[in-house]
Amino acid sequence: MVRRSVLFAPGDKPALMRKAAKTDADTVVFDLEDAVAPADKEDAREAVREVLNDVESECEVCVRVNPIGISAATDLGAVLEGATPDSVMLPKAEAAEDVQRIDRLLEERGVDLPVLSLIESASGVLRADDIAAADATDALLFGAEDLAADIGATRTSEGMEVLYARERTVIAASAAGVGAIDTIYTDYEDLDGLRESTKRAVQFGYDGKMAIHPDQVPVINDAFTPSDEEIAWAERVVEADAETDAGVFEVDGEMIDAPLISQAERILERAREAGRQ
């Protein structure tokens, strides 16, 4: 499943959830965790259930529950009384057991949903490979803001304080064959900064990026959608590879070997997922 843009909407704001579902985001997340004050959790559960029942959207609709051990079970019990979302997001995943527990909660309620696991703590980073390999995990998401708070780091525009965790998350996801979604860009009015951050996420190997405002969605989608030039180059590489038995060959004056063939195949796969082919 393509998840270039993953847009969050607060679970206690029905109008914003409905608005998010009408954007071009690939995934919309109705958030019962950080976006909702403790006193408003019950009202938010009811609001999410009501919106799920009547929302019409072509995107993936996900619900972010509260962490295991807090109120994940209560969240699922309330939300799943109505329509079923397409996926569930598990915040602060710190071990494969957390994913297994959320999967059991879903099974107890008669549903089988992919789990999007958020890596946003020191423990989660160190166990990212196990979390990614859990059967129910369909994607890892990197949460830089919570991680920085957990380890006492100061967030900077360069992001060097979370670089190791950002790289480890995408490597763990790739090794397990699941999706990798990059952290949010908090200044939603700074689209140039978002564009640069998203470009870096693409370079790191991420498949998508989280968003906190609808205006961020087009920038993110564009960055994770191959350009016409990239698609044309990839097609030439794949075609040339099919026509030769050589391990190394030339395309456009460039020597092409196995890693570049893999890169070309990935570009074409992303193009297909984005509806460009």
Side-chain angles (χ1 to χ4, degrees):
M1 173 178 289
V2 60
R3 295 188 180 104
R4 297 166 300 176
S5 50
V6 178
L7 176 63
F8 286 78
D12 58 345
K13 300 290 191 296
L16 293 183
M17 286 190 282
R18 291 189 172 91
K19 180 180 179 180
K22 295 183 181 298
T23 67
D24 289 329
D26 292 325
T27 300
V28 172
V29 182
F30 297 160
D31 190 7
L32 291 172
E33 196 215 8
D34 285 348
V36 180
D40 298 327
K41 296 288 187 183
E42 187 56 40
D43 289 342
R45 294 180 188 111
E46 295 179 9
V48 168
R49 184 173 64 244
E50 291 175 2
V51 173
L52 281 174
N53 282 335
D54 62 27
V55 71
E56 294 183 3
S57 178
E58 296 181 359
C59 67
E60 176 187 30
V61 177
C62 177
V63 173
R64 176 160 75 166
V65 297
N66 284 276
I68 288 292
I70 296 182
S71 60
T74 303
D75 294 339
L76 290 176
V79 168
L80 294 178
E81 287 180 0
T84 304
D86 298 310
S87 58
V88 169
M89 185 175 294
L90 174 64
K92 298 176 178 60
E94 298 195 332
E97 288 76 15
D98 292 342
V99 182
Q100 293 162 359
R101 288 175 66 185
I102 201 79
D103 193 37
R104 284 197 297 271
L105 289 172
L106 291 167
E107 184 179 359
E108 290 169 2
R109 288 156 179 80
V111 294
D112 180 16
L113 298 176
V115 177
L116 313 185
S117 301
L118 262 165
I119 305 299
E120 49 187 345
S121 69
S123 295
V125 170
L126 293 179
R127 301 188 184 110
D129 48 352
D130 293 333
I131 295 168
D135 289 342
T137 295
D138 199 55
L140 287 189
L141 301 91
F142 173 53
E145 308 308 317
D146 282 87
L147 174 65
D150 186 49
I151 65 177
T154 300
R155 288 291 279 127
T156 66
S157 58
E158 295 81 10
M160 293 301 295
E161 69 282 354
V162 295
L163 178 59
Y164 167 76
R166 195 180 185 190
E167 292 179 333
R168 183 177 175 108
T169 299
V170 71
I171 289 171
S174 180
V178 300
I181 311 300
D182 190 39
T183 189
I184 63 170
Y185 189 80
T186 57
D187 187 352
Y188 61 84
E189 294 183 338
D190 179 14
L191 296 184
D192 288 336
L194 170 65
R195 192 171 289 107
E196 184 62 30
S197 178
T198 309
K199 178 181 177 182
R200 182 61 57 84
V202 173
Q203 292 171 339
F204 280 2
Y206 277 94
D207 302 300
K209 190 171 181 67
M210 293 182 275
I212 57 173
H213 192 281
D215 287 349
Q216 295 181 317
V217 169
V219 174
I220 293 172
N221 281 351
D222 182 66
F224 283 101
T225 301
S227 67
D228 291 340
E229 292 78 9
E230 290 172 325
I231 293 172
W233 172 84
E235 288 176 338
R236 290 195 295 273
V237 168
V238 171
E239 181 179 350
D241 179 48
E243 294 175 350
T244 182
D245 294 327
V248 179
F249 52 90
E250 182 181 331
V251 172
D252 300 339
E254 178 183 20
M255 297 308 297
I256 304 297
D257 57 6
L260 287 178
I261 295 170
S262 295
Q263 180 182 341
E265 291 171 342
R266 180 165 183 168
I267 288 172
L268 295 180
E269 180 182 2
R270 282 186 165 178
R272 285 190 292 270
E273 290 175 341
R276 292 293 308 278
Q277 284 196 318

